[in-house]
Structure formats: structure tokens, C-alpha cells
Amino acid sequence: PSPPLGVGGGAYRSWVFETKEFDIPDRSRLAFYTDGMVEDKGRDIDEGIGVMAALLANCPPDSLEECCDAVTDVLGITGDTSDDATLLLAQVQSIPPERKAHWQLDAHPSAVSDARRKVRERLAEWGLSSLTDTAELLVSELVTNAQRYGRSPVSLDMLKTDRLLVEVGDALDVVPQVRRAQETDEGGRGLQLVNQLATRWGTRTTGNGK
């Protein structure tokens, strides 16, 4: 019922977009596309969507790039198109339970050392001990930040995929802001450390915290 994302215009900020949740099978392929990808002067948009869906269903299973090429070749991305044509594919792959870890941390200063120990032990199990020093420091800063400025309960999650993902959550949905600490400040450097040590980092709200 909502307008397409990215339409823009002055009224865009006042539009309300509905949130929907779907259960999808493992290794499902998600396609995001502009209308120029599926609609042109000689083809109705519903027909274009049907053609694209059929092509995606028969694409090579392990190459998103080949899949994109197959779709664009058939749908005809040519120089005379009057609209932008963009296709973005993503493949969903579930993470096996043995590559995930989740803990609820006590609302006590000892939770910081407990979190470091859990990280150290789990990285050893996963054969990732070379990341221990960095991961422990990151977790220390994030758990301290969550306890000091967030709200209990505080959680710690680790995911091992092609990289290591570490998440610290709390029950307050206020997103922390990085600030530049002055030389005389006693605090304010935690998120600066996170910014420097993590390959990539960010925050997201979860509906009951962040």
C-alpha cells in the first residue's frame, strides 16, 4: 500500500511504510529492483515481474553475479530505456547453531570480565584465538557502555560466518553517539575505540531496545 522506496519528493517524509514479516526457506534469493527493470513500452509491469521471477527461479544456485547477468540479458537492459534499471540480489543463508552464541549478562560490574571470558573461550572453540585481544577489548567497551548508559537486561551475541560478528544489546532504544573526548575527559573514548578496531560497526533498534 505504500509508495515505492526512493521515489523522493516533498511529501516523502510524511508517508508511513508498513512493516511486514515473512518466513522464508534457507538459501532463498531476494531480488530488489526498480520499475525500469521490469516495465517498458512493449511490456506490462506484471508481465516483466513474472519473467524476472521465472528467470530467478532457474538461475545458477551459487552465483548471484551470473544470475544478475541472466536476468538483465533476457529483460533487455538497452541504451534506449527511458527509466533507470537496477537489480540487487541477496541470498539468505541460515547460520548453524554451533556457529552462534548468546548470553544474558548480570547487571553487575563483574559482567564485563565475565563477557571477556565468554568471548575468549568461544573464540578458542571456533579456532579464532587470533581475534581474542581485539574482540575482548571491543566487548569490554560495549558492555560497559550498555551498563552505564543503557538499561538491563544486557545481552552478548556472537556469530561466526565468513567474519566474526559481535553484538551487545540492552533494553534502552536510545542510540549511542560517538563524541570526541578532550584530553582532560575521563570518559568518552569507548566508541572511538570501537570505531578504530572493528572492521565495521553500527547500531540498530530491536523494538525492545538496541
Side-chain angles (χ1 to χ4, degrees):
S2 308
L5 291 172
V7 169
Y12 185 77
R13 297 195 256 327
S14 65
W15 291 334
V16 176
F17 292 89
E18 290 188 10
T19 299
K20 293 185 180 293
E21 294 186 5
F22 301 91
D23 292 325
I24 58 177
D26 192 22
R27 298 191 64 78
S28 292
R29 194 169 283 160
L30 305 179
F32 304 88
Y33 54 92
T34 59
D35 58 349
M37 190 75 210
V38 292
E39 183 181 35
D40 61 28
K41 294 178 182 178
R43 179 176 53 226
D44 179 77
I45 188 169
D46 290 333
E47 179 187 351
I49 292 174
V51 171
M52 184 173 67
L55 290 168
L56 291 172
N58 292 284
C59 271
D62 297 316
S63 176
L64 294 183
E65 187 171 356
E66 289 182 27
C67 197
C68 277
D69 290 342
V71 174
T72 54
D73 286 347
V74 172
L75 289 179
I77 307 303
T78 61
D80 60 357
T81 182
S82 59
D83 201 355
D84 293 331
T86 303
L87 173 65
L88 171 65
L89 296 182
Q91 187 151 302
V92 179
Q93 186 168 350
S94 63
I95 302 173
E98 62 270 17
R99 294 187 180 185
K100 296 188 284 188
H102 171 79
W103 300 279
Q104 288 283 106
L105 303 177
D106 295 331
H108 188 274
S110 63
V112 177
S113 60
D114 186 39
R116 286 199 301 265
R117 178 181 56 78
K118 293 179 185 300
V119 167
R120 185 169 58 251
E121 292 175 350
R122 187 52 57 99
L123 289 179
E125 289 180 21
W126 286 344
L128 298 175
S129 295
S130 61
L131 301 178
T132 298
D133 290 345
T134 300
E136 280 194 54
L137 180 54
L138 289 172
V139 167
S140 294
E141 295 297 337
L142 292 173
V143 171
T144 299
N145 201 43
Q147 289 200 326
R148 184 173 297 171
Y149 304 111
R151 182 182 299 157
S152 293
V154 174
S155 61
L156 171 62
D157 289 89
M158 297 174 64
L159 299 174
K160 178 192 175 187
T161 57
D162 59 333
R163 64 194 63 201
L164 176 66
L165 175 67
V166 179
E167 291 187 332
V168 173
D170 71 83
L172 185 66
D173 60 3
V174 177
V175 175
Q177 301 295 322
V178 179
R179 65 185 180 90
R180 185 173 298 280
Q182 303 300 317
E183 291 185 4
T184 55
D185 290 344
E186 293 185 7
R189 296 177 177 82
L191 292 181
Q192 288 184 18
L193 279 173
V194 172
N195 190 39
Q196 291 177 9
L197 293 175
T199 303
R200 186 175 64 195
W201 76 283
T203 59
R204 60 184 171 85
T205 56
T206 61
N208 57 354
K210 64 178 178 299

